[in-house]
Amino acid sequence: MDDPRKNLFYEPKNGYDRISREEHIAAEDYCRGYMEYLNDSRTEREAVVNAIKLAREKGFVEYVPGMALTPGMKLYSCNRGKALMLAVIGQRSLADGVVIAGAHVDAPRLDLKQIPMYESDELCYFRTHYYGGIKKYQWVTIPLELHGVVVLKSGETVDVRIGREPGEPRFVITDLLPHLAKDQMKKPMTEAITGEALNILIGSVPYDDDGKDRVKLAVMSILNDMYGIGEEDFLSAELTAVPAFDVCEVGLDRSLIGGYGHDDRVCAYAELKAILDVENPVRTCVCILADKEETGSDGVSGMQSRAFDTFMEDLCASQNVEVRRCFEKSFCLSADVTAAFDPLYPEVSEKRSESKLNYGMGICKFTGARGKSGTSDASAEVVAYLRRLFDKAGVVWQLSEMGKVDQGGGGTIALYMANRNIDTIDAGVPVLSMHAPFELVAKLDCYMTYKGVLAAYSDD
Ligand code: MN
Ligand code: MN
């Protein structure tokens, strides 16, 4: 007789026991593209530029308000170089709603302060103010690169990128040697390395004169030679230090990908690739690469910005549809990473509810903290829709909750989409060492997230 457990119990299975050899190869192929994208996308601006490049290669054109829309049209709209919206116009009217996938392309990092440069004891430094949630001790003694823009008083923008190319210099924040760290080692981790101590070493050779701040002057001269900037130009700059690790395969079986910024470029790439691959969808597909998620989605380029509503209002207007009618029939996959169960730290997890590496795309019915505060909490109906959709499309997926009750928590862009009266649910790639300078994801989960978004875009 058949074991009745087979029908009555929910027993998730490892993705590798569920996928074919062909699919394994497809996953490898997909991940090569992702690794290349991530390696070259170190800031939200670079992630947007690289996304536009890929979109244009696939026939996407820049949207101009008032454009007549025809089914199959591929459009993009860039919001101030920091966020991106793409759309493929469907066969059905926008009055029937759209399918949205939204991810964010900003990631935790060390922003330079607006008056960042100083000299101390004949060494020159940049002061920083960290962006997003970081464990500060992880950011010392690792190689850093410098990325960003300096906007001159004239309005001209100078792109800065130092340390990405082989042979270019890199930067570092020093830490105390263990021999002299007796007092530091007794401090709690939150105090051992403070935010104000995250100062980046950028030079040590003095300028050849007998004035003051000779090292700072020498370093400033180098920057002036390279970019034509002076110290005052930092006031209107957005410069950021990010980890200089190359994206690479991890593990003897090469099943994992290590790199900086998986959160959330791993989901951003998945939905980007999905919208590039979708052909003649029934409903209009919309892909959002948002900025500012790590600081609460505020600001013109964050998901709370009206920029998204304006884009959708413009699309709707060309079909004489009211955007609120479109929104109430729309569906949004908030594609963001989730915490994977870490066997080294089982104490923070409730194993049955946590997502696991290689178990596929992680669906989070709710996020938030302290009694589900700050979550949009997708309805059972929406979860059921996704189960049906993913199972039909052969997507390997799992349910996911971040940590034990009251252990902590987190948010995504989901609530800002749901607040617009759009049925929204979180789903994405499980990550180990989330928000660390070197995060880890599993190839199988990356590919399944792409497949999941493509299934949503392809649904009728
Ligand atoms: Mn995220
Ligand atoms: Mn995050």
Side-chain angles (χ1 to χ4, degrees):
M1 211 178 79
D2 261 2
D3 187 345
R5 288 168 193 80
K6 241 167 113 184
N7 290 327
L8 296 178
F9 286 1
Y10 172 57
E11 296 283 356
K13 262 206 238 153
N14 191 301
Y16 280 101
D17 293 328
R18 300 172 57 183
I19 64 167
S20 65
R21 184 157 171 75
E22 291 70 46
E23 202 147 45
H24 194 161
I25 293 167
E28 286 291 335
D29 196 46
Y30 168 83
C31 286
R32 264 191 295 279
Y34 169 55
M35 290 172 70
E36 205 177 298
Y37 175 80
L38 183 66
N39 207 35
D40 198 39
S41 303
R42 300 272 159 167
T43 63
E44 73 285 359
R45 289 176 191 264
E46 292 176 1
V48 165
V49 166
N50 290 330
I52 292 174
K53 211 183 292 168
L54 293 172
R56 293 184 67 94
E57 282 169 18
K58 282 280 197 163
F60 280 72
V61 296
E62 189 164 9
Y63 176 67
V64 181
M67 249 181 189
L69 305 183
T70 49
M73 238 173 140
K74 299 171 172 185
L75 309 164
Y76 72 87
S77 176
C78 178
N79 180 5
R80 297 169 172 87
K82 296 174 151 220
L84 185 66
M85 294 164 284
L86 305 102
V88 176
I89 305 304
Q91 294 152 33
R92 273 160 63 179
S93 159
L94 287 161
D96 293 336
V98 299
V99 183
I100 304 164
H104 65 94
V105 286
D106 61 318
R109 60 187 194 231
L110 302 177
D111 285 342
L112 299 200
K113 293 194 183 197
Q114 293 328 117
I115 307 177
M117 196 187 269
Y118 74 100
E119 176 172 337
S120 174
D121 299 280
E122 293 168 276
L123 294 175
C124 190
Y125 295 91
F126 276 145
R127 285 197 180 282
T128 67
H129 193 141
Y130 66 97
Y131 172 98
I134 62 166
K135 292 163 87 176
K136 295 169 193 102
Y137 71 86
Q138 295 178 332
W139 293 72
V140 298
T141 67
I142 60 165
L144 299 168
E145 313 172 347
L146 196 64
H147 292 244
V149 295
V150 180
V151 183
L152 307 179
K153 217 163 153 181
S154 65
E156 187 201 332
T157 300
V158 180
D159 284 304
V160 173
R161 195 169 148 109
I162 309 172
R164 182 81 297 262
E165 301 308 318
E168 287 185 347
R170 289 173 170 174
F171 312 95
V172 74
I173 298 166
T174 56
D175 191 10
L176 209 48
L177 62 169
H179 317 64
L180 299 180
K182 184 167 73 69
D183 295 337
Q184 183 197 37
M185 297 290 263
K186 285 189 204 135
K187 291 181 183 171
M189 275 157 118
T190 49
E191 290 166 23
I193 306 285
T194 63
E196 278 295 345
L198 293 176
N199 300 323
I200 303 169
L201 184 58
I202 54 169
S204 68
V205 178
Y207 195 83
D208 188 14
D209 72 0
D210 14 286
K212 62 163 196 152
D213 285 344
R214 295 164 66 215
V215 178
K216 176 177 165 180
L217 181 58
V219 170
M220 199 63 241
S221 303
I222 294 170
L223 281 172
N224 184 262
D225 287 345
M226 291 174 77
Y227 298 108
I229 59 172
E231 189 179 13
E232 194 181 327
D233 294 317
F234 287 125
L235 297 178
S236 51
E238 280 177 359
L239 294 171
T240 188
V242 298
F245 306 124
D246 279 335
V247 176
C248 65
E249 294 176 314
V250 171
L252 285 170
D253 55 12
R254 299 172 180 265
S255 60
L256 310 166
I257 304 173
Y260 161 68
H262 283 312
D263 177 9
D264 186 32
R265 293 165 195 149
V266 69
C267 295
Y269 183 78
E271 51 171 57
L272 175 68
K273 191 77 172 62
I275 203 160
L276 300 190
D277 288 351
V278 74
E279 290 291 346
N280 292 313
V282 174
R283 297 165 90 195
T284 292
C285 303
V286 177
C287 169
I288 303 169
L289 308 190
D291 182 28
K292 294 280 180 281
E293 192 277 341
E294 297 295 357
T295 52
S297 296
D298 294 289
V300 279
S301 50
M303 209 55 243
Q304 298 197 64
S305 163
R306 294 273 307 162
F308 171 67
D309 307 87
T310 302
F311 178 65
M312 291 305 299
E313 278 162 20
D314 284 345
L315 294 186
C316 284
S318 65
Q319 293 187 354
N320 291 315
V321 172
E322 281 184 85
V323 75
R324 60 201 180 103
R325 294 284 165 246
C326 171
F327 278 179
E328 70 186 358
K329 294 224 171 109
S330 294
F331 169 70
C332 175
L333 209 55
S334 163
D336 205 344
V337 298
T338 176
F341 174 77
D342 189 337
L344 297 187
Y345 302 95
E347 64 278 8
V348 303
S349 299
E350 194 267 293
K351 218 171 167 179
R352 300 165 52 84
S353 305
E354 206 96 341
S355 59
K356 291 166 77 176
L357 291 187
N358 292 327
Y359 275 64
M361 189 177 193
I363 300 178
C364 304
K365 185 179 181 298
F366 57 85
T367 58
R370 302 172 312 282
K372 302 190 179 180
S373 277
T375 180
S376 45
D377 201 351
S379 68
E381 287 83 348
V382 170
V383 182
Y385 164 69
L386 217 55
R387 283 174 62 192
R388 197 161 63 237
L389 180 77
F390 284 0
D391 284 347
K392 198 172 76 182
V395 176
V396 176
W397 62 274
Q398 56 186 324
L399 217 78
S400 176
E401 179 176 343
M402 197 192 276
K404 276 183 179 164
V405 175
D406 287 339
Q407 184 67 45
T412 65
I413 64 161
L415 73 162
Y416 305 112
M417 303 307 287
N419 290 348
R420 290 176 160 107
N421 197 22
I422 299 170
D423 271 322
T424 303
I425 184 163
D426 278 302
V429 179
V431 177
L432 284 179
S433 309
M434 196 194 291
H435 282 208
F438 192 73
E439 301 175 313
L440 213 54
V441 294
K443 285 180 178 173
L444 185 142
D445 304 330
C446 297
Y447 176 67
M448 286 301 159
T449 298
Y450 155 73
K451 233 181 126 171
V453 180
L454 189 59
Y457 281 156
S458 309
D459 192 34
D460 47 20

